[in-house]
Amino acid sequence: SPLLTFIGRTGISMPINRSGDSKNRIPLEFVHITKTAGSAVEEAAARSGVKWGVCHYKRVNKFGPSCMYKDWEVSRPAYNRSAIPFHFKGTLGEPWHTPPHWFRQNPYKNAKTFCIVRNPYDRIVSEYYSKFGGYKGNGRNNVTVMNGWIQKHLAPGMKRQVHRLPQHMYVYNMVGEKMIDHVLRFER
């Protein structure tokens, strides 16, 4: 399957016991950093019978039968605010886009994890053109308009959203401990 080909190319392996007993396999979970091809990974996984990311939290019909029911809930209060390096009110965004170590209960704590990171410039340009919170006004392809939008949305004090979090906040916690087991590069 394309998903298995993708996983094979990443070099990620799933440790299992020597007897091959599937009950003792360590699950592999995908941490979806926005604008890093995460939706394509989630869809490919779902079409191959693997439930990752958004499919744990909500129904996505176009992804097929693996993504037809949610199996995870975010407990309230959701966040461990002492793990988050800035103040915010309400919610940060969709749970599948939130660094898992920011939750009171890390949904991936008994799994191996992987994520994809991308060149930050390419990622913010992709964010600018995104239908989910990107620029919607006139002059969309004007470099001055684009630069103004990017500077505004990356400015200190701008409301933080998971769609524009620096990628290191997913991979490392505030004291520098690596929280994601495998980090893949979009460009490779």
Side-chain angles (χ1 to χ4, degrees):
S1 80
L3 177 64
L4 296 178
T5 302
F6 167 78
I7 294 299
R9 275 189 256 155
T10 67
I12 295 174
S13 62
M14 299 279 291
I16 60 171
N17 70 355
R18 292 184 185 268
S19 70
D21 181 1
S22 64
K23 290 189 298 186
N24 292 323
R25 288 186 183 189
I26 298 171
L28 179 66
E29 290 290 347
F30 175 59
V31 176
H32 184 165
I33 299 174
T34 61
K35 309 316 292 177
T36 62
S39 295
V41 170
E42 290 167 343
E43 182 174 2
R47 292 187 183 283
S48 297
V50 176
K51 194 169 195 162
W52 281 339
V54 67
C55 294
H56 285 301
Y57 294 97
K58 75 179 208 177
R59 179 183 186 141
V60 182
N61 292 335
K62 74 176 190 167
F63 286 9
S66 292
C67 202
M68 297 303 274
Y69 62 93
K70 63 182 183 175
D71 58 353
W72 290 0
E73 291 286 338
V74 176
S75 60
R76 304 286 180 213
Y79 304 110
N80 175 4
R81 291 185 180 263
S82 66
I84 302 172
F86 54 86
H87 177 73
F88 69 97
K89 292 181 180 177
T91 182
L92 289 168
E94 301 293 359
W96 57 91
H97 289 314
T98 302
H101 52 280
W102 288 7
F103 289 108
R104 286 187 184 273
Q105 296 177 4
N106 183 338
Y108 308 116
K109 82 174 186 182
N110 293 318
K112 292 289 186 180
T113 54
F114 78 99
C115 70
I116 300 170
V117 296
R118 185 176 188 181
N119 175 299
Y121 175 78
D122 293 336
R123 182 173 173 241
I124 195 66
V125 169
S126 180
E127 195 67 61
Y128 172 81
Y129 284 108
S130 174
K131 61 184 175 182
F132 305 110
Y135 181 73
K136 304 281 191 275
N138 294 329
R140 192 167 190 215
N141 292 325
N142 179 300
V143 69
T144 304
V145 171
M146 178 187 284
N147 284 332
W149 184 93
I150 290 171
Q151 289 173 8
K152 175 184 171 190
H153 285 86
L154 295 180
M158 180 66 180
K159 181 183 176 215
R160 294 286 185 146
Q161 297 179 336
V162 292
H163 264 262
R164 289 183 275 285
L165 283 178
Q167 296 165 94
H168 72 86
M169 290 183 173
Y170 290 86
V171 179
Y172 298 95
N173 67 15
M174 289 194 316
V175 296
E177 297 169 322
K178 190 174 180 190
M179 305 304 292
I180 304 294
D181 297 298
H182 306 281
V183 179
L184 311 178
R185 294 189 51 100
F186 181 91
E187 293 82 13
R188 290 191 180 156

